[in-house]
């Protein structure tokens, strides 16, 4: 796509707006030099009173221009009037040229519920927050309802979070095989899986260091989350080593929540679930994404619907308190009928949480070579709406959500819960309520100040072989220094 912006404009923001109306467009030199590519020309002028934006969009010989004046001292919930002016002018021009009316309006961030939460904490009612989101950010009424419903539940939970609390994330970026749509760094080849024992040895040391640091800072651990990849790729002996390390660092009975992702049903068995339960794990995620076996096969999940049901049973029998199941809307080959059938069968099972993701187009491109499975993926909005309505009818409520770039139809990911079964880590992490101390390859520690205004991230190496090949002494010292400085400066 060809893009021209005046100097005072953040080009990255405009690219994000372009993708709302021209999904899959790129902004490299090749596109910039292509006279047939769609184009956007964005101008911004400012006075003391107004930010004035003018947007001209062209495609296939048709050109549309729209402008918007935004008061500099207005009450927009996007604090920057310039951004609002550009967004609103772009929205009108894009809608006129393409006929697309983005459901999330000009709200481009990944955490819309954070905005709605702020509105509620500022004293607005849900109805006022919804109206403001629609008026100021052009959010559709159904998405404004969704995000305010989520925020209302989150608000009740967040109000109870003690001040000096934190969470711990432990990363196991390994999977038994790789799903075709995966964009995560997870390692799955047989050779790399042999690294697991070495990886665990190093990780256990880091777990001790992490909890030591938390104690020194005088923080209380609210939740521990072991994620991946698929942590249950570990065998029974390895799972025990990992969980024993956690148990020796913290009284797991005092945690609000202790989660292990057991995403791939082909890694779950009775013994592993019993070990999790005996070690104090309160929550697992057993994911199937779809119950259509043809699609499971096509997307490389290497398990069947039946294996999912067996894994679910194993968790139930072991007595794990809460079970989540992830689904994906928009999978290639998945029709509305097949997706709604999956939703209905999952609801009948009554997991405590059902998380409905929308497929990322970026990752779909990884299996684009397979023409057969790229045929559909349409009707995704209808699928997402069905999941919302069917889960509501069955007593579930939306309790956390986030957006990603490049999802089909720009749709979101939503966690639904039976009342009282909310996944607390998901809320704390998504709304950046407190620090998350993260260990292991690809982990990102996120430090959050008392007022939530300052956030600092500390990144680990992405891949296990990088993590294993480095001498951790220097990195651990550096990490400890950054954490200590953060807590002495902004706490
Ligand atoms: S289970 Fe998840 S992390 Fe593992 S390969 Fe599949 S999509 Fe990727």
């Amino acid at each position: 796509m060809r893009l021209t912006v005046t100097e005072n404009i953040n080009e990255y923001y405009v690219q994000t707006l372009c993708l709302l109306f021209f999904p899959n467009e790129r902004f490299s030199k090749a596109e910039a030099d292509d006279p047939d590519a769609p184009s956007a020309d964005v101008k911004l002028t400012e006075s003391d009173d107004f930010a004035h934006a003018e947007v001209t969009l062209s495609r296939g010989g048709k050109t549309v221009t729209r402008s918007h004046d935004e008061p500099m001292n207005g009450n927009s919930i996007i604090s920057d009037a310039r951004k609002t002016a550009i967004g609103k002018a772009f929205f009108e021009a894009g809608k006129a040229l393409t006929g697309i009316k983005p459901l999330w309006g000009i709200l481009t961030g990944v955490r819309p519920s954070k905005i709605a939460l702020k509105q509620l904490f500022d004293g607005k009612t849900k109805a006022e927050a919804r109206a403001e989101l629609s008026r100021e950010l052009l959010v559709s009424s159904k998405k404004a309802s969704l995000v305010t419903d989520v925020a209302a539940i989150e608000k009740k939970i967040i109000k109870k979070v003690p001040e000096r609390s934190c969470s711990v994330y432990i990363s196991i970026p390994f999977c038994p095989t790789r799903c075709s749509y995966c964009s995560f760094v997870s390692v799955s080849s047989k050779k790399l899986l042999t690294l697991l024992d070495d990886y665990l040895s190093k990780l256990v040391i880091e777990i001790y260091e992490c909890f030591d640091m938390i104690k020194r800072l005088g923080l209380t651990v609210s939740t521990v989350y072991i994620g991946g990849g698929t942590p249950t790729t570990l065998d029974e002996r390895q799972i025990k080593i990992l969980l024993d390390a956690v148990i020796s660092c913290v009284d797991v009975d005092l945690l609000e929540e202790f989660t292990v992702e057991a995403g791939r049903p082909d890694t779950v068995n009775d013994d592993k679930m019993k070990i999790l339960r005996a070690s104090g794990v309160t929550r697992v995620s057993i994911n199937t994404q779809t119950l259509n076996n043809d699609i499971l096969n096509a997307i490389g999940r290497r398990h069947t619907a039946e294996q999912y049901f067996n894994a679910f049973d194993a968790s139930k029998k072991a007595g794990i308190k809460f079970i989540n199941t992830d689904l994906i809307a928009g999978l290639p080959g998945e029709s509305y009928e097949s997706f709604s059938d999956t939703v209905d069968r999952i609801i009948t099972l009554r997991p405590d949480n059902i998380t409905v993701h929308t497929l990322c187009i970026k990752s779909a491109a990884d299996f684009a070579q397979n023409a057969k499975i790229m045929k559909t993926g349409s009707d995704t909005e209808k699928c997402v709406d069905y999941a919302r309505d069917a889960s509501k009818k069955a007593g579930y409520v939306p309790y956390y959500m986030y957006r990603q770039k490049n999802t089909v139809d720009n749709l979101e990911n939503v966690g639904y819960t039976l009342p009282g079964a909310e996944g607390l880590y998901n809320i704390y992490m998504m709304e950046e309520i407190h620090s998350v101390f993260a260990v292991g390859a690809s982990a990102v520690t996120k430090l959050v100040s008392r007022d939530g205004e300052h956030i600092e991230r500390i990144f680990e190496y992405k891949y296990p072989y990088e993590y294993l090949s480095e001498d951790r002494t220097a990195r651990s010292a550096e990490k400890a220094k950054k954490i200590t400085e953060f807590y002495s400066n902004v706490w």
Side-chain angles (χ1 to χ4, degrees):
M1 184 156 183
R2 290 177 291 135
L3 205 58
T4 318
V5 298
T6 48
E7 265 177 16
N8 52 351
I9 292 177
N10 177 339
E11 193 170 326
Y12 179 72
Y13 174 57
V14 176
Q15 288 181 5
T16 315
L17 293 170
C18 287
L19 291 174
L20 298 178
F21 300 95
F22 308 97
N24 302 327
E25 282 297 328
R26 292 170 192 272
F27 304 93
S28 69
K29 187 161 181 334
E31 282 82 28
D33 292 344
D34 177 1
D36 296 327
S39 70
D41 184 355
V42 184
K43 295 187 181 83
L44 178 72
T45 50
E46 297 170 38
S47 67
D48 287 346
D49 300 327
F50 286 98
H52 173 79
E54 186 179 291
V55 174
T56 302
L57 300 177
S58 302
R59 185 176 66 179
K62 187 179 169 194
T63 297
V64 167
T65 298
R66 294 289 185 273
S67 60
H68 181 83
D69 287 318
E70 184 70 19
M72 284 305 233
N73 297 317
N75 292 320
S76 170
I77 39 182
I78 294 184
S79 51
D80 189 338
R82 299 161 196 87
K83 226 174 146 182
T84 309
I86 294 168
K88 287 185 173 172
F90 207 109
F91 186 89
E92 293 305 327
K95 195 172 68 169
L97 184 74
T98 66
I100 295 172
K101 192 175 175 194
L103 292 168
W104 284 100
I106 58 169
L107 208 169
T108 54
V110 296
R111 294 185 166 82
S113 42
K114 209 167 177 182
I115 296 177
L117 248 182
K118 182 170 181 319
Q119 292 174 291
L120 299 187
F121 273 119
D122 284 350
K124 295 191 171 90
T125 63
K126 264 168 75 173
E128 286 167 344
R130 274 198 304 270
E132 192 175 37
L133 286 165
S134 295
R135 189 179 64 245
E136 298 297 333
L137 301 178
L138 314 178
V139 176
S140 66
S141 57
K142 75 175 169 184
K143 297 305 173 194
S145 288
L146 168 68
V147 76
T148 46
D149 285 350
V150 165
I153 289 187
E154 288 182 329
K155 187 182 166 202
K156 282 189 205 149
I157 289 171
I158 289 166
K159 271 163 72 177
K160 294 188 210 146
V161 178
E163 201 169 59
R164 285 190 79 85
S165 65
C166 68
S167 288
V168 171
Y169 180 87
I170 300 171
S171 171
I172 308 288
F174 294 85
C175 289
T177 56
R178 193 171 180 79
C179 311
S180 332
Y181 59 89
C182 181
S183 57
F184 184 63
V185 295
S186 190
V187 162
S188 57
S189 83
K190 270 200 174 132
K191 190 168 159 234
L192 289 168
L193 287 171
T194 61
L195 299 176
L196 266 171
D197 275 323
D198 291 343
Y199 180 77
L200 259 186
S201 308
K202 223 162 179 176
L203 185 67
V204 164
I205 296 171
E206 220 199 326
I207 290 172
Y208 285 126
E209 286 173 0
C210 173
F211 280 96
D212 260 1
M213 168 60 79
I214 289 169
K215 269 180 211 140
R216 280 206 300 280
L217 294 169
L219 305 176
T220 316
V221 181
S222 299
T223 72
V224 173
Y225 191 103
I226 304 182
T230 307
T232 40
T233 305
L234 301 175
D235 63 25
E236 291 79 351
R237 176 187 59 84
Q238 292 163 329
I239 289 179
K240 185 111 182 47
I241 292 171
L242 175 62
L243 296 181
D244 282 351
V246 176
I247 290 169
S248 63
C249 291
V250 67
D251 184 346
V252 291
D253 291 337
L254 297 181
L255 294 173
E256 290 177 37
E257 182 177 280
F258 187 4
T259 304
V260 175
E261 279 185 14
R264 286 272 296 263
D266 44 336
T267 62
V268 173
N269 62 34
D270 288 343
D271 289 343
K272 288 185 191 178
M273 289 298 121
K274 280 182 199 156
I275 296 169
L276 298 192
R277 174 71 183 92
S279 307
V281 169
T282 56
R283 176 178 292 272
V284 291
S285 198
I286 311 273
N287 304 328
T288 187
Q289 317 301 3
T290 173
L291 290 175
N292 181 323
N293 279 336
D294 290 340
I295 296 173
L296 283 170
N297 185 34
I299 61 175
R301 285 283 294 183
R302 300 283 171 86
H303 67 82
T304 59
E306 192 188 1
Q307 277 175 295
Y308 162 75
F309 287 115
N310 291 341
F312 191 92
D313 273 356
S315 317
K316 272 270 173 218
K317 264 195 305 185
I320 308 272
K321 196 169 173 196
F322 298 115
I323 305 176
N324 169 71
T325 288
D326 281 0
L327 302 179
I328 299 180
L331 282 170
E334 184 96 281
S335 65
Y336 170 70
E337 287 71 26
S338 131
F339 180 80
S340 45
D341 175 63
T342 290
V343 170
D344 291 345
R345 289 164 71 196
I346 295 292
I347 283 176
T348 306
L349 206 58
R350 288 197 88 64
D352 303 277
N353 305 149
I354 304 171
T355 308
V356 181
H357 295 263
T358 305
L359 182 73
C360 244
I361 296 167
K362 183 175 60 178
S363 49
D366 295 345
F367 50 40
Q369 302 95 325
N370 187 340
K372 191 176 86 203
I373 60 170
M374 283 304 288
K375 266 187 201 148
T376 64
S378 56
D379 277 348
T380 308
E381 186 184 343
K382 231 169 112 187
C383 291
V384 164
D385 287 350
Y386 184 82
R388 177 201 61 201
D389 296 341
S391 60
K392 184 176 176 190
K393 224 163 123 193
Y396 290 82
V397 288
Y399 82 98
Y400 98 105
M401 63 156 304
Y402 62 101
R403 297 174 70 205
Q404 281 172 292
K405 287 206 177 68
N406 303 314
T407 54
V408 176
D409 294 343
N410 204 20
L411 291 160
E412 61 286 334
N413 306 319
V414 182
Y416 295 93
T417 185
L418 291 172
E422 295 83 0
L424 301 178
Y425 173 84
N426 293 330
I427 296 177
Y428 299 162
M429 181 266 302
M430 200 46 68
E431 304 306 343
E432 301 174 318
I433 297 309
H434 60 203
S435 296
V436 177
F437 292 82
V439 293
S442 82
V444 182
T445 292
K446 194 191 276 184
L447 304 172
V448 181
S449 64
R450 190 194 297 260
D451 59 8
E453 295 293 320
H454 295 84
I455 291 181
E456 192 172 322
R457 292 173 173 80
I458 306 172
F459 294 86
E460 290 292 341
Y461 276 124
K462 258 191 172 181
Y463 295 99
Y465 61 83
E466 294 173 312
Y467 179 80
L468 284 172
S469 63
E470 75 161 345
D471 171 11
R472 287 213 51 91
T473 320
R475 182 174 279 257
S476 294
E478 177 69 11
K479 188 171 175 180
K481 187 167 166 255
K482 277 189 188 161
I483 293 171
T484 313
E485 278 174 7
F486 184 89
Y487 271 87
S488 46
N489 290 339
V490 294
W491 264 84

